[in-house]
Amino acid sequence: MTDASKSASAMGRHLTPHLPALWRFALSLTGRPDVADDLVQSTCLRAMEKHHLFDGSGNLVAWTMTILRSIWINQLRATTIRAAQSLDATNEAELAALLPQSESNIFASQVFTQVMKLPEAQRQTVVLVYVEGFRYSEAAKILDVPIGTIMSRLSAARQKLAHLNATDVVPQQDKSQS
Amino acid sequence: MTYSDADLLAYLAGTAAEEMSAGIEAALALDPALEDRLMTLDPLASTIGDALDGLGADRVTLPAQKQSRRIWPLAVAACAGAAIVATVVLWPAPQTTRPWMDQVAAYQALYSPATIANVTPTQEGLAAQFAQLDTALGTQLPLDALQTATTLELRRAQILAFENAPLGQIVFADDTGRPVALCLIRTDSPGRDTATFELHGLNGAAFTQGGFDYLVIGATTRQEAEALANQFSRALAAS
């Protein structure tokens, strides 16, 4: 049982190792790395402020991701839509540069770009289940949808991304970098 | 009913019969072991998980918690009387705003119509106040243009400070006497279109142009804040 609920600073300590996961989920919601940065900051402040509401026996990351999604929906999304051109139109080169070793791992960059091109709802679900490893039922709770919706989103995403597993596409390192 | 791996793979591939797919999804809610099997068999899980492993590492750090900061007036306008010093607590603000905007909103939330009810400046008095702003901020703010840019009545201008940087506050009154402020502080950020938000219960709008962040705070609605911001922006750009 975690002591994350005991104080704001304890909550902060427990959140720190999960910041990359929070950021990935934030990126899947916002489609923009700069907005994802701000969203994670807001989320951590809110989680530390509300540390006493965390049930110490629950999943801290899932709890925090629920907060993150709530802030996005209730506070930031409308303003960001007015300020930006499109949430789904993300510059591919800018995205690829976010991935570690993107210049040498071309396949990983392709996968990342394809995931980010998914519609927002599918993208969120793919990140929660395939990247963060949440169970379907856990992802359903975070996104506040029935488990059947999770399955249909993943099914649609699988159809769009199936070519990534095609046997005639061999993931290769960029030999020129070796 | 039990499902074989072949059944589950067909489901994941989207080729299972509709009845079987419905049965699997209904069973999922009640059978964690079935959920585990599906997740293990999903052909894309490891492809995507491995590719995005490491994404976001070192991207963000834990933010600082609540801090106490002070807004100090550097000079007091003669018409305003005594300066107001407020110690405010920084609360998490919408992240389309800057920290100084949160502080200003908290300060502006102390204002009421009574605060500026007896502020009746002369044009010479306003010119002197604007001269103080220009000296502190390095600006040439267009007094006449800002007076006529909107239907608000310009009442007072003064210099405040945020973390030792000069901050200009120009206070207007609407036709009910309600105070609305236009505030500005120098920035290195590039120009930004108007964004609206609510801070400390006040409706606000912010934009960046010409090396300054601008904040309109205290409007009746967010739409009004945005309209005022756009009007001020045009007046500043035209001067």
Side-chain angles (χ1 to χ4, degrees):
Chain A
M1 189 154 175
T2 178
D3 67 348
S5 60
K6 285 188 178 175
S7 68
S9 57
M11 175 61 73
R13 284 196 306 275
H14 283 279
L15 283 177
T16 298
H18 302 297
L19 290 176
L22 293 175
W23 188 83
R24 289 190 290 265
F25 182 49
L27 183 65
S28 76
L29 289 175
T30 65
R32 288 177 50 188
D34 55 338
V35 181
D37 293 345
D38 291 345
L39 183 51
V40 171
Q41 296 280 300
S42 289
T43 299
C44 290
L45 284 170
R46 179 78 59 84
M48 290 190 286
E49 181 186 322
K50 303 292 184 187
H51 61 89
H52 55 284
L53 297 178
F54 173 60
D55 172 1
S57 63
N59 185 312
L60 176 63
V61 182
W63 181 77
T64 312
M65 284 186 172
T66 303
I67 294 174
L68 189 151
R69 181 174 171 271
S70 174
I71 291 174
W72 171 240
I73 291 172
N74 295 326
Q75 284 185 230
L76 296 185
R77 191 172 199 273
T79 306
T80 305
I81 287 173
R82 272 199 289 278
Q85 294 169 351
S86 165
L87 287 180
D88 287 330
T90 313
N91 181 278
E92 284 193 27
E94 181 186 345
L95 279 179
L98 296 171
L99 205 58
Q101 301 173 331
S102 59
E103 290 184 357
S104 57
N105 195 337
I106 295 172
F107 180 68
S109 296
Q110 290 173 343
V111 171
F112 180 39
T113 303
Q114 293 301 308
V115 168
M116 290 304 294
K117 282 183 175 177
L118 291 172
E120 192 179 324
Q122 292 175 28
R123 191 170 68 207
Q124 299 167 22
T125 308
V126 161
V127 167
L128 284 179
V129 175
Y130 291 161
V131 183
E132 308 310 331
F134 283 104
R135 304 172 68 83
Y136 304 136
S137 49
E138 290 172 329
K141 283 184 185 172
I142 292 171
L143 297 178
D144 195 25
V145 296
I147 193 170
T149 302
I150 296 293
M151 305 314 292
S152 64
R153 288 179 184 177
L154 287 175
S155 174
R158 276 193 294 270
Q159 289 185 32
K160 290 190 174 69
L161 301 176
H163 63 283
L164 295 174
N165 270 352
T167 54
D168 59 348
V169 174
V170 179
Q172 287 183 340
Q173 299 288 329
D174 180 356
K175 298 279 194 284
S176 66
Q177 298 296 319
S178 63
Chain B
M1 180 174 180
T2 58
Y3 298 96
S4 67
D5 284 359
D7 291 336
L8 298 183
L9 284 169
Y11 169 77
L12 289 168
T15 58
E18 193 174 324
E19 188 179 341
M20 177 177 290
S21 296
I24 290 172
E25 290 180 9
L28 268 179
L30 304 170
D31 188 347
L34 179 62
E35 194 176 11
D36 289 337
R37 287 177 62 204
L38 264 175
M39 294 185 71
T40 303
L41 288 169
D42 194 321
L44 269 181
S46 60
T47 301
I48 293 175
D50 291 347
L52 271 60
D53 184 40
L55 176 66
D58 302 323
R59 176 77 187 190
V60 289
T61 56
L62 204 65
Q65 290 176 249
K66 296 176 193 178
Q67 301 170 23
S68 288
R69 296 184 182 171
R70 292 174 184 269
I71 287 184
W72 294 101
L74 286 181
V76 176
C79 296
I84 297 172
V85 174
T87 300
V88 297
V89 176
L90 178 66
W91 292 94
Q95 289 296 320
T96 50
T97 59
R98 317 268 196 217
W100 71 269
M101 295 180 184
D102 186 66
Q103 294 291 295
V104 165
Y107 178 61
Q108 196 68 27
L110 300 172
Y111 276 56
S112 71
T115 308
I116 55 172
N118 296 321
V119 177
T120 52
T122 63
Q123 197 65 15
E124 291 76 15
L126 287 173
Q129 292 168 23
F130 265 64
Q132 288 180 326
L133 257 64
D134 288 340
T135 299
L137 293 166
T139 52
Q140 287 185 304
L141 293 169
L143 169 57
D144 291 343
L146 290 176
Q147 278 181 302
T148 57
T150 71
T151 58
L152 301 175
E153 180 188 359
L154 202 161
R155 292 288 185 90
R156 179 186 72 199
Q158 65 175 346
I159 277 290
L160 305 173
F162 176 74
E163 292 183 338
N164 298 319
L167 185 160
Q169 181 209 40
I170 306 171
V171 180
F172 299 79
D174 71 9
D175 56 7
T176 68
R178 176 194 184 103
V180 179
L182 170 66
C183 300
L184 67 155
I185 193 169
R186 192 170 282 282
T187 182
D188 292 330
S189 298
R192 292 195 305 176
D193 290 341
T194 303
T196 62
F197 40 79
E198 183 180 312
L199 284 173
H200 294 276
L202 299 180
N203 293 302
F207 61 97
T208 301
Q209 72 181 46
F212 285 88
D213 281 337
Y214 293 87
L215 169 69
V216 174
I217 190 76
T220 307
T221 65
R222 285 170 67 158
Q223 289 77 12
E224 185 196 36
E226 184 175 16
L228 290 171
N230 291 337
Q231 289 164 344
F232 286 132
S233 174
R234 284 193 291 271
L236 290 161
S239 62

Coordinates of all heavy atoms in Angstrom, one line a residue, chain B residues 5-79:
Chain B
D5 N -7.6 -20.5 -28.8 CA -6.7 -19.4 -29.3 C -7.1 -19.0 -30.7 O -7.0 -17.8 -31.1 CB -5.3 -19.9 -29.2 CG -4.7 -19.9 -27.8 OD1 -5.5 -19.5 -26.9 OD2 -3.6 -20.3 -27.6
A6 N -7.5 -20.0 -31.5 CA -7.9 -19.7 -32.9 C -9.1 -18.8 -32.9 O -9.1 -17.8 -33.8 CB -8.1 -21.0 -33.7
D7 N -10.0 -19.0 -32.0 CA -11.2 -18.2 -32.0 C -10.8 -16.7 -31.6 O -11.3 -15.7 -32.2 CB -12.2 -18.7 -30.9 CG -12.8 -20.0 -31.2 OD1 -12.9 -20.3 -32.4 OD2 -13.2 -20.7 -30.3
L8 N -9.9 -16.6 -30.6 CA -9.5 -15.3 -30.1 C -8.7 -14.6 -31.2 O -8.8 -13.4 -31.4 CB -8.7 -15.4 -28.8 CG -9.5 -16.1 -27.7 CD1 -8.7 -16.1 -26.4 CD2 -10.8 -15.3 -27.4
L9 N -7.8 -15.3 -31.9 CA -7.1 -14.7 -33.0 C -8.0 -14.2 -34.1 O -7.7 -13.1 -34.7 CB -6.0 -15.7 -33.5 CG -4.8 -15.9 -32.6 CD1 -3.9 -17.1 -33.1 CD2 -3.9 -14.6 -32.6
A10 N -9.0 -15.0 -34.4 CA -9.9 -14.5 -35.4 C -10.7 -13.3 -35.0 O -10.9 -12.3 -35.7 CB -11.0 -15.6 -35.7
Y11 N -11.0 -13.2 -33.7 CA -11.6 -12.0 -33.1 C -10.7 -10.8 -33.3 O -11.1 -9.7 -33.7 CB -12.0 -12.3 -31.7 CG -12.5 -11.0 -31.0 CD1 -13.7 -10.4 -31.2 CD2 -11.6 -10.4 -30.1 CE1 -14.1 -9.3 -30.5 CE2 -11.9 -9.2 -29.4 CZ -13.2 -8.6 -29.7 OH -13.6 -7.5 -29.0
L12 N -9.5 -11.0 -32.9 CA -8.5 -9.9 -33.0 C -8.3 -9.4 -34.4 O -8.0 -8.3 -34.6 CB -7.2 -10.3 -32.3 CG -7.2 -10.5 -30.8 CD1 -6.0 -11.2 -30.3 CD2 -7.4 -9.1 -30.1
A13 N -8.4 -10.4 -35.3 CA -8.1 -10.0 -36.7 C -9.4 -9.4 -37.4 O -9.3 -9.0 -38.5 CB -7.7 -11.3 -37.5
G14 N -10.5 -9.5 -36.6 CA -11.7 -8.9 -37.2 C -12.4 -9.9 -38.1 O -13.3 -9.5 -38.9
T15 N -12.1 -11.2 -38.1 CA -12.7 -12.1 -39.0 C -13.6 -13.1 -38.3 O -14.2 -14.0 -39.0 CB -11.6 -12.9 -39.7 OG1 -10.8 -13.6 -38.8 CG2 -10.7 -12.0 -40.6
A16 N -13.8 -13.0 -37.0 CA -14.7 -13.9 -36.3 C -16.1 -13.5 -36.6 O -16.5 -12.4 -37.0 CB -14.5 -13.7 -34.8
A17 N -17.0 -14.6 -36.5 CA -18.4 -14.3 -36.8 C -19.0 -13.4 -35.8 O -18.5 -13.3 -34.6 CB -19.2 -15.7 -36.7
E18 N -20.0 -12.7 -36.2 CA -20.6 -11.6 -35.3 C -21.0 -12.2 -34.0 O -20.8 -11.6 -32.9 CB -21.7 -11.0 -36.0 CG -22.2 -9.7 -35.4 CD -23.3 -9.0 -36.2 OE1 -23.2 -9.0 -37.5 OE2 -24.2 -8.4 -35.7
E19 N -21.6 -13.4 -34.0 CA -22.1 -14.0 -32.8 C -21.0 -14.3 -31.8 O -21.1 -14.1 -30.6 CB -22.9 -15.2 -33.1 CG -23.7 -15.8 -31.9 CD -24.5 -17.0 -32.3 OE1 -24.7 -17.2 -33.5 OE2 -24.8 -17.8 -31.4
M20 N -19.9 -14.8 -32.4 CA -18.8 -15.2 -31.6 C -18.1 -13.9 -31.0 O -17.8 -13.9 -29.8 CB -17.7 -16.0 -32.4 CG -16.5 -16.3 -31.5 SD -15.3 -17.3 -32.4 CE -16.1 -18.8 -32.5
S21 N -18.0 -12.9 -31.8 CA -17.4 -11.6 -31.3 C -18.2 -11.0 -30.2 O -17.7 -10.6 -29.1 CB -17.4 -10.6 -32.4 OG -16.5 -11.0 -33.5
A22 N -19.6 -11.1 -30.3 CA -20.4 -10.6 -29.2 C -20.3 -11.4 -28.0 O -20.2 -10.9 -26.9 CB -21.9 -10.6 -29.7
G23 N -20.1 -12.7 -28.1 CA -19.9 -13.6 -27.0 C -18.6 -13.3 -26.3 O -18.6 -13.3 -25.0
I24 N -17.6 -13.1 -27.0 CA -16.3 -12.8 -26.4 C -16.3 -11.5 -25.7 O -15.9 -11.4 -24.5 CB -15.2 -12.8 -27.5 CG1 -14.9 -14.2 -28.1 CG2 -13.9 -12.2 -27.0 CD1 -14.0 -14.2 -29.3
E25 N -16.9 -10.5 -26.2 CA -17.0 -9.2 -25.6 C -17.8 -9.2 -24.3 O -17.5 -8.6 -23.3 CB -17.5 -8.1 -26.5 CG -16.4 -7.8 -27.6 CD -16.8 -6.8 -28.6 OE1 -17.9 -6.1 -28.4 OE2 -16.1 -6.6 -29.6
A26 N -18.9 -10.0 -24.4 CA -19.8 -10.2 -23.2 C -19.0 -10.9 -22.1 O -19.1 -10.6 -20.9 CB -21.0 -10.9 -23.5
A27 N -18.2 -11.9 -22.5 CA -17.5 -12.7 -21.5 C -16.3 -11.9 -20.9 O -15.9 -12.2 -19.7 CB -17.0 -14.0 -22.1
L28 N -15.8 -10.9 -21.6 CA -14.6 -10.2 -21.1 C -14.9 -9.5 -19.8 O -14.0 -9.5 -18.9 CB -14.3 -9.1 -22.1 CG -13.2 -9.5 -23.2 CD1 -13.0 -8.3 -24.1 CD2 -11.9 -9.9 -22.6
A29 N -16.1 -9.0 -19.6 CA -16.4 -8.2 -18.4 C -16.4 -9.1 -17.2 O -16.2 -8.6 -16.1 CB -17.7 -7.5 -18.6
L30 N -16.5 -10.4 -17.4 CA -16.7 -11.3 -16.3 C -15.5 -12.3 -16.1 O -15.4 -13.0 -15.1 CB -18.0 -12.2 -16.5 CG -19.3 -11.4 -16.7 CD1 -20.4 -12.3 -17.1 CD2 -19.6 -10.7 -15.4
D31 N -14.6 -12.3 -17.1 CA -13.6 -13.3 -17.1 C -12.2 -12.7 -17.3 O -11.7 -12.5 -18.4 CB -13.9 -14.3 -18.2 CG -12.9 -15.5 -18.2 OD1 -11.9 -15.5 -17.4 OD2 -13.2 -16.5 -18.9
P32 N -11.5 -12.4 -16.2 CA -10.2 -11.8 -16.3 C -9.2 -12.7 -17.0 O -8.3 -12.2 -17.7 CB -9.8 -11.6 -14.8 CG -11.0 -11.6 -14.0 CD -12.0 -12.5 -14.8
A33 N -9.4 -14.0 -16.9 CA -8.4 -14.9 -17.6 C -8.6 -14.8 -19.1 O -7.6 -14.8 -19.8 CB -8.7 -16.3 -17.1
L34 N -9.8 -14.6 -19.6 CA -10.0 -14.4 -21.0 C -9.4 -13.1 -21.4 O -8.8 -13.0 -22.5 CB -11.5 -14.4 -21.3 CG -12.0 -14.2 -22.7 CD1 -11.4 -15.3 -23.6 CD2 -13.5 -14.0 -22.8
E35 N -9.5 -12.1 -20.6 CA -8.9 -10.8 -20.9 C -7.4 -10.9 -21.0 O -6.8 -10.4 -22.0 CB -9.3 -9.8 -19.8 CG -9.0 -8.3 -20.1 CD -9.4 -7.4 -18.9 OE1 -9.8 -7.9 -17.8 OE2 -9.5 -6.2 -19.1
D36 N -6.8 -11.7 -20.1 CA -5.4 -11.9 -20.2 C -5.0 -12.6 -21.5 O -4.0 -12.3 -22.1 CB -4.9 -12.8 -19.0 CG -4.9 -12.0 -17.7 OD1 -4.9 -10.8 -17.7 OD2 -5.0 -12.7 -16.6
R37 N -5.8 -13.6 -21.9 CA -5.4 -14.4 -23.1 C -5.5 -13.5 -24.3 O -4.6 -13.5 -25.2 CB -6.4 -15.6 -23.2 CG -6.1 -16.7 -22.3 CD -7.2 -17.8 -22.4 NE -7.1 -18.4 -23.8 CZ -8.1 -19.0 -24.4 NH1 -9.3 -19.1 -23.8 NH2 -8.0 -19.6 -25.6
L38 N -6.5 -12.7 -24.4 CA -6.7 -11.8 -25.5 C -5.5 -10.8 -25.6 O -4.9 -10.6 -26.7 CB -8.0 -11.0 -25.4 CG -9.2 -11.5 -26.2 CD1 -10.4 -10.7 -25.9 CD2 -8.9 -11.5 -27.7
M39 N -5.1 -10.3 -24.5 CA -4.0 -9.3 -24.5 C -2.7 -10.0 -24.9 O -1.9 -9.4 -25.6 CB -3.9 -8.6 -23.1 CG -5.1 -7.8 -22.7 SD -4.9 -6.9 -21.2 CE -3.7 -5.7 -21.6
T40 N -2.5 -11.2 -24.5 CA -1.3 -11.9 -24.8 C -1.3 -12.3 -26.3 O -0.2 -12.2 -26.9 CB -1.2 -13.2 -24.0 OG1 -1.2 -12.9 -22.6 CG2 0.1 -14.0 -24.3
L41 N -2.4 -12.6 -26.9 CA -2.5 -13.0 -28.3 C -2.5 -11.8 -29.2 O -2.2 -12.0 -30.4 CB -3.7 -13.8 -28.5 CG -3.7 -15.2 -27.9 CD1 -5.1 -15.9 -28.0 CD2 -2.7 -16.1 -28.6
D42 N -2.8 -10.6 -28.8 CA -2.9 -9.5 -29.7 C -1.6 -9.3 -30.4 O -0.6 -9.0 -29.8 CB -3.3 -8.2 -28.9 CG -3.8 -7.1 -29.8 OD1 -3.2 -6.9 -30.9 OD2 -4.7 -6.4 -29.3
P43 N -1.7 -9.3 -31.8 CA -0.4 -9.3 -32.5 C 0.2 -7.9 -32.6 O 1.4 -7.8 -32.8 CB -0.9 -9.7 -34.0 CG -2.3 -9.3 -34.0 CD -2.8 -9.5 -32.6
L44 N -0.5 -6.9 -32.3 CA 0.0 -5.5 -32.4 C 0.6 -5.0 -31.1 O 1.3 -4.1 -31.0 CB -1.1 -4.5 -32.8 CG -1.2 -4.3 -34.3 CD1 -2.3 -3.3 -34.6 CD2 0.1 -3.9 -34.9
A45 N 0.2 -5.7 -30.0 CA 0.6 -5.2 -28.6 C 2.1 -5.0 -28.5 O 2.6 -3.9 -28.1 CB 0.1 -6.1 -27.6
S46 N 2.9 -6.0 -28.8 CA 4.3 -5.9 -28.6 C 5.0 -5.0 -29.7 O 5.9 -4.2 -29.4 CB 5.0 -7.2 -28.7 OG 4.7 -7.9 -29.9
T47 N 4.4 -5.0 -30.9 CA 4.9 -4.1 -32.0 C 4.9 -2.7 -31.6 O 5.8 -1.9 -31.7 CB 4.1 -4.3 -33.3 OG1 4.2 -5.7 -33.7 CG2 4.6 -3.4 -34.4
I48 N 3.7 -2.3 -31.1 CA 3.5 -0.9 -30.7 C 4.2 -0.6 -29.4 O 4.9 0.5 -29.2 CB 2.0 -0.5 -30.7 CG1 1.5 -0.6 -32.1 CG2 1.8 0.9 -30.1 CD1 0.0 -0.4 -32.2
G49 N 4.1 -1.5 -28.4 CA 4.7 -1.3 -27.1 C 6.2 -1.1 -27.2 O 6.8 -0.2 -26.6
D50 N 6.8 -2.0 -28.0 CA 8.3 -1.9 -28.1 C 8.7 -0.6 -28.9 O 9.7 0.0 -28.5 CB 8.8 -3.1 -28.9 CG 8.7 -4.4 -28.1 OD1 8.4 -4.3 -26.9 OD2 8.8 -5.5 -28.7
A51 N 8.0 -0.3 -29.9 CA 8.3 0.9 -30.7 C 8.3 2.2 -29.9 O 9.1 3.1 -30.0 CB 7.4 1.0 -31.9
L52 N 7.3 2.3 -29.0 CA 7.1 3.5 -28.2 C 7.8 3.5 -26.9 O 7.6 4.4 -26.1 CB 5.6 3.8 -28.1 CG 5.0 4.7 -29.2 CD1 5.1 4.0 -30.6 CD2 3.6 5.0 -29.0
D53 N 8.5 2.4 -26.6 CA 9.2 2.3 -25.3 C 10.2 3.4 -25.3 O 11.0 3.6 -26.2 CB 9.8 0.9 -25.2 CG 10.5 0.8 -23.9 OD1 9.9 1.2 -22.9 OD2 11.6 0.2 -23.8
G54 N 10.3 4.2 -24.2 CA 11.2 5.2 -24.0 C 10.7 6.6 -24.5 O 11.3 7.6 -24.2
L55 N 9.5 6.6 -25.1 CA 8.9 7.9 -25.5 C 8.5 8.7 -24.3 O 7.9 8.2 -23.4 CB 7.7 7.7 -26.4 CG 6.9 8.9 -26.8 CD1 7.7 9.8 -27.7 CD2 5.6 8.5 -27.4
G56 N 9.0 9.9 -24.2 CA 8.6 10.8 -23.1 C 9.5 10.7 -21.9 O 9.4 11.5 -21.0
A57 N 10.6 9.9 -22.0 CA 11.5 9.8 -20.9 C 12.2 11.2 -20.8 O 12.7 11.7 -21.8 CB 12.6 8.7 -21.2
D58 N 12.3 11.7 -19.6 CA 13.0 13.0 -19.4 C 12.3 14.2 -20.1 O 12.9 15.3 -20.2 CB 14.5 13.0 -19.9 CG 15.3 11.9 -19.2 OD1 15.0 11.7 -18.0 OD2 16.1 11.3 -19.8
R59 N 11.1 14.0 -20.5 CA 10.4 15.1 -21.2 C 9.9 16.1 -20.2 O 9.9 17.3 -20.4 CB 9.2 14.5 -21.9 CG 8.3 15.6 -22.6 CD 8.9 16.1 -23.9 NE 8.1 17.2 -24.4 CZ 8.3 17.8 -25.5 NH1 9.2 17.4 -26.4 NH2 7.6 18.8 -25.9
V60 N 9.3 15.7 -19.0 CA 8.8 16.6 -18.1 C 9.3 16.3 -16.7 O 9.7 15.1 -16.4 CB 7.2 16.6 -18.0 CG1 6.6 17.2 -19.2 CG2 6.7 15.2 -17.8
T61 N 9.4 17.3 -15.8 CA 9.7 17.1 -14.4 C 8.6 17.5 -13.5 O 7.6 18.1 -14.0 CB 11.0 17.9 -14.1 OG1 10.7 19.3 -14.4 CG2 12.2 17.4 -14.9
L62 N 8.7 17.1 -12.3 CA 7.6 17.4 -11.4 C 7.5 18.9 -11.2 O 8.6 19.5 -10.9 CB 7.9 16.7 -10.0 CG 6.7 16.4 -9.1 CD1 5.8 15.4 -9.8 CD2 7.2 15.9 -7.8
P63 N 6.3 19.5 -11.3 CA 6.2 21.0 -11.1 C 6.4 21.4 -9.6 O 6.2 20.5 -8.7 CB 4.8 21.3 -11.6 CG 4.1 20.0 -11.3 CD 5.0 18.9 -11.5
A64 N 6.8 22.6 -9.4 CA 6.9 23.1 -8.1 C 5.5 23.3 -7.5 O 4.5 23.5 -8.3 CB 7.6 24.5 -8.1
Q65 N 5.4 23.0 -6.2 CA 4.1 23.1 -5.6 C 3.7 24.6 -5.4 O 4.4 25.5 -5.8 CB 4.1 22.4 -4.3 CG 4.1 20.9 -4.5 CD 4.3 20.1 -3.2 OE1 5.3 19.6 -2.9 NE2 3.2 20.2 -2.4
K66 N 2.6 24.8 -4.6 CA 2.1 26.1 -4.3 C 3.3 27.0 -3.7 O 4.0 26.6 -2.9 CB 1.0 26.1 -3.2 CG -0.2 25.4 -3.7 CD -1.2 25.3 -2.5 CE -2.3 24.4 -2.8 NZ -3.2 24.3 -1.7
Q67 N 3.3 28.2 -4.2 CA 4.3 29.1 -3.7 C 3.7 30.4 -3.4 O 2.6 30.8 -3.9 CB 5.4 29.4 -4.8 CG 6.1 28.2 -5.3 CD 6.9 28.5 -6.6 OE1 7.2 29.6 -6.8 NE2 7.2 27.5 -7.3
S68 N 4.2 31.2 -2.4 CA 3.7 32.5 -2.1 C 4.6 33.5 -2.9 O 5.8 33.5 -2.8 CB 3.9 32.8 -0.6 OG 2.9 32.1 0.1
R69 N 3.9 34.3 -3.7 CA 4.6 35.4 -4.4 C 3.9 36.7 -4.2 O 2.7 36.7 -3.8 CB 4.6 35.1 -5.9 CG 5.3 33.8 -6.2 CD 5.3 33.6 -7.7 NE 6.0 32.3 -8.1 CZ 6.0 31.8 -9.3 NH1 5.4 32.4 -10.3 NH2 6.7 30.7 -9.5
R70 N 4.6 37.8 -4.3 CA 4.0 39.1 -4.0 C 4.0 39.9 -5.3 O 4.9 39.9 -6.1 CB 4.8 39.8 -3.0 CG 4.8 39.2 -1.6 CD 5.7 39.9 -0.7 NE 5.7 39.3 0.6 CZ 4.9 39.6 1.6 NH1 4.0 40.6 1.5 NH2 4.9 39.0 2.8
I71 N 2.9 40.6 -5.5 CA 2.8 41.6 -6.5 C 3.0 42.9 -5.8 O 2.3 43.3 -4.9 CB 1.5 41.6 -7.2 CG1 1.4 40.4 -8.1 CG2 1.3 42.9 -8.0 CD1 0.1 40.4 -9.0
W72 N 4.1 43.6 -6.1 CA 4.4 44.9 -5.5 C 4.2 46.1 -6.4 O 4.6 46.0 -7.6 CB 5.9 44.9 -5.0 CG 6.2 44.0 -4.0 CD1 6.8 42.8 -4.2 CD2 6.0 44.1 -2.6 NE1 7.0 42.1 -3.0 CE2 6.5 42.9 -2.0 CE3 5.4 45.1 -1.8 CZ2 6.4 42.7 -0.6 CZ3 5.3 44.8 -0.4 CH2 5.8 43.7 0.2
P73 N 3.5 47.1 -6.0 CA 3.5 48.3 -6.8 C 4.8 49.1 -6.8 O 5.3 49.3 -5.7 CB 2.3 49.1 -6.2 CG 2.3 48.7 -4.8 CD 2.8 47.3 -4.7
L74 N 5.3 49.4 -8.0 CA 6.5 50.2 -8.0 C 6.2 51.7 -7.8 O 7.0 52.4 -7.3 CB 7.3 50.0 -9.3 CG 8.0 48.6 -9.4 CD1 8.8 48.6 -10.7 CD2 9.0 48.5 -8.3
A75 N 5.1 52.1 -8.3 CA 4.7 53.5 -8.2 C 3.2 53.6 -8.0 O 2.5 52.7 -8.4 CB 5.1 54.3 -9.5
V76 N 2.8 54.7 -7.4 CA 1.4 54.8 -7.1 C 0.8 56.0 -7.9 O 1.3 57.1 -7.8 CB 1.2 55.0 -5.6 CG1 -0.3 55.2 -5.3 CG2 1.7 53.8 -4.8
A77 N -0.2 55.7 -8.6 CA -0.9 56.8 -9.3 C -1.6 57.7 -8.3 O -2.2 57.3 -7.4 CB -1.9 56.3 -10.3
A78 N -1.4 59.0 -8.5 CA -2.0 60.0 -7.6 C -3.5 59.8 -7.4 O -4.0 59.9 -6.3 CB -1.6 61.4 -8.0
C79 N -4.2 59.6 -8.5 CA -5.6 59.5 -8.4 C -6.1 58.2 -7.6 O -7.2 58.1 -7.1 CB -6.2 59.4 -9.8 SG -6.0 61.0 -10.7

